[in-house]
């Protein structure tokens, strides 16, 4: 039988260690928490709210509604409830209002719905965080997410993306709000256990498009490996940390000629895809 108090202490210490070791927070910062309503983002909000007074943080939460029927509305409701319970202001944006299409309308234009979902969610999140004056965006990426992303990038030999890993990303453009990942060293199963043990309202449902993603396959593979050979995940993380020391190069960023958002090319990925989508719809 798990002792809830001890377990909560373990969670808090794990997150605190990551925050302190990698200097994720400074005093008097305005931090935007990317709040989907899933267990990881909810724990991130609860933990930062706990550290709020120590660091004099100004917390704000941002929820992006991608427009996934039968799924996202429940997540948004959970996000609202948790933000309200903790007294954190929630800013809500949606693909429908901001981009004039929902993910449901365009999901089959791509090999996986996760491709446009990720591009447009990051786009709106960054733009909104900049608009509200946040200095950093805290995301709920846990240890399993990070290992999956690392292996997927490794499998594609996409070495430029390595700079996007790690618990804290550098500021490389004034309009690109750097990410921090307080749950970087916390296994996914412990996040779920925290929510259940504490009876926290989280959105556990699985996205109807998740089976289309390469990530889902990588997750299954890693869980299988871990069950057969305990320690696989933490060994991958160790290799990953060593790789990071060599591959942290800074990319040059410009401002997109269409929307002004930071981009590695003249036109950002979101604008390029919006143009493709408009051409496909018309
Ligand atoms: Fe978006 Fe894919 Fe996540 Fe669903 S599983 S919310 S489509 S990234």
């Amino acid at each position: 039988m798990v002792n809830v108090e001890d377990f909560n202490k373990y969670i808090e210490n794990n997150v605190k260690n990551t925050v302190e070791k990698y200097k994720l927070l400074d005093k008097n910062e305005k931090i935007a928490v990317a709040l989907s309503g899933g267990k990881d983002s909810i724990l991130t909000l609860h933990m930062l709210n706990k550290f709020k007074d120590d660091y004099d943080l100004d917390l704000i939460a941002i929820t992006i509604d991608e427009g996934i029927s039968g799924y996202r509305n429940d997540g948004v409701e959970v996000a609202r409830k948790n933000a309200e319970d903790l007294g954190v202001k929630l800013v809500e944006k949606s693909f429908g209002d901001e981009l004039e299409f929902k993910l449901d309308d365009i999901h089959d234009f791509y090999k996986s719905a996760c491709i446009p979902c990720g591009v447009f969610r990051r786009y709106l999140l960054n733009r909104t965080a900049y608009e509200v004056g946040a200095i950093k965006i805290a995301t709920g990426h846990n240890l399993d997410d990070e290992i999956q992303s690392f292996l997927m990038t490794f499998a594609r030999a996409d070495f430029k993306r390595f700079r996007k890993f790690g618990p804290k990303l550098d500021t490389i453009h004034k309009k690109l709000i750097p990410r921090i990942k307080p749950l970087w060293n916390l296994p996914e199963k412990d996040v779920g256990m925290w929510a259940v043990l504490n009876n926290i309202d989280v959105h556990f449902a699985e996205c109807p498009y998740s089976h289309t993603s390469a990530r889902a396959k990588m997750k299954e593979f890693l869980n299988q490996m871990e069950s057969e050979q305990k320690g696989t995940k933490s060994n991958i993380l160790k290799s990953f940390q060593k790789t990071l020391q060599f591959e942290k190069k800074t990319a040059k960023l410009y401002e997109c000629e269409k929307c002004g958002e930071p981009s590695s090319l003249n036109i950002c990925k979101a604008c390029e895809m919006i143009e493709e989508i408009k051409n496909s719809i018309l």
Side-chain angles (χ1 to χ4, degrees), residues 149-162 247:
S149 301
F150 172 65
L151 285 186
M152 282 157 60
T153 302
F154 202 73
R156 291 191 204 113
D158 186 3
F159 293 103
K160 271 196 269 176
R161 283 187 70 88
F162 277 157
E247 291 296 334

Side-chain angles (χ1 to χ4, degrees), residues 68 103 114 117 121 207 209-210:
I68 305 173
L103 190 65
C114 303
C117 186
R121 188 160 14 87
C207 170
Y209 299 123
S210 63

Side-chain angles (χ1 to χ4, degrees), residues 28-217:
N28 294 310
E29 288 183 322
K30 184 164 191 168
I31 308 279
V33 179
L35 194 67
S36 66
K39 62 186 185 323
D40 307 296
S41 67
I42 296 289
L43 175 58
T44 304
L45 184 71
H46 280 250
M47 285 296 117
L48 291 189
N49 193 56
K50 247 184 200 304
F51 306 150
K52 194 170 77 173
D53 291 342
D54 292 346
Y55 288 92
D56 292 320
L57 300 178
D58 181 5
L59 280 186
I60 190 162
I62 302 174
T63 293
I64 309 288
D65 177 352
E66 304 92 343
I68 305 173
S69 60
Y71 170 72
R72 179 49 73 211
N73 283 354
D74 292 346
V76 172
E77 274 304 319
V78 169
R80 282 182 193 144
K81 185 175 180 306
N82 277 275
E84 195 183 334
D85 287 351
L86 298 175
V88 175
K89 185 182 172 201
L90 178 69
V91 178
E92 295 184 31
K93 297 280 172 170
S94 72
F95 282 20
D97 289 344
E98 305 295 320
L99 307 171
E100 297 176 9
F101 51 77
K102 296 176 177 182
L103 190 65
D104 283 343
D105 303 328
I106 56 137
H107 73 95
D108 55 0
F109 293 5
Y110 298 88
K111 204 165 70 185
S112 160
C114 303
I115 297 170
C117 186
V119 168
F120 295 130
R121 188 160 14 87
R122 282 192 296 275
Y123 176 77
L124 292 181
L125 192 59
N126 185 70
R127 203 175 73 182
T128 310
Y130 182 75
E131 282 166 6
V132 300
I135 295 291
K136 290 169 186 163
I137 298 174
T139 66
H141 288 92
N142 60 46
L143 185 143
D144 290 58
D145 294 328
E146 199 72 349
I147 293 170
Q148 289 155 19
S149 301
F150 172 65
L151 285 186
M152 282 157 60
T153 302
F154 202 73
R156 291 191 204 113
D158 186 3
F159 293 103
K160 271 196 269 176
R161 283 187 70 88
F162 277 157
R163 67 186 163 77
K164 296 191 174 171
F165 295 127
K168 184 183 183 186
L169 306 190
D170 299 329
T171 307
I172 52 176
H173 187 284
K174 66 179 186 330
K175 287 171 89 176
L176 184 67
I177 312 301
R179 309 287 174 103
I180 54 169
K181 304 170 189 169
L183 311 189
W184 194 70
N185 206 22
L186 196 61
E188 183 174 12
K189 65 174 177 26
D190 293 346
V191 183
M193 200 186 260
W194 167 82
V196 172
L197 287 176
N198 291 281
N199 222 2
I200 305 282
D201 196 1
V202 301
H203 186 221
F204 271 121
E206 199 163 323
C207 170
Y209 299 123
S210 63
H211 67 281
T212 65
S213 71
R215 179 178 292 278
K217 294 179 190 98

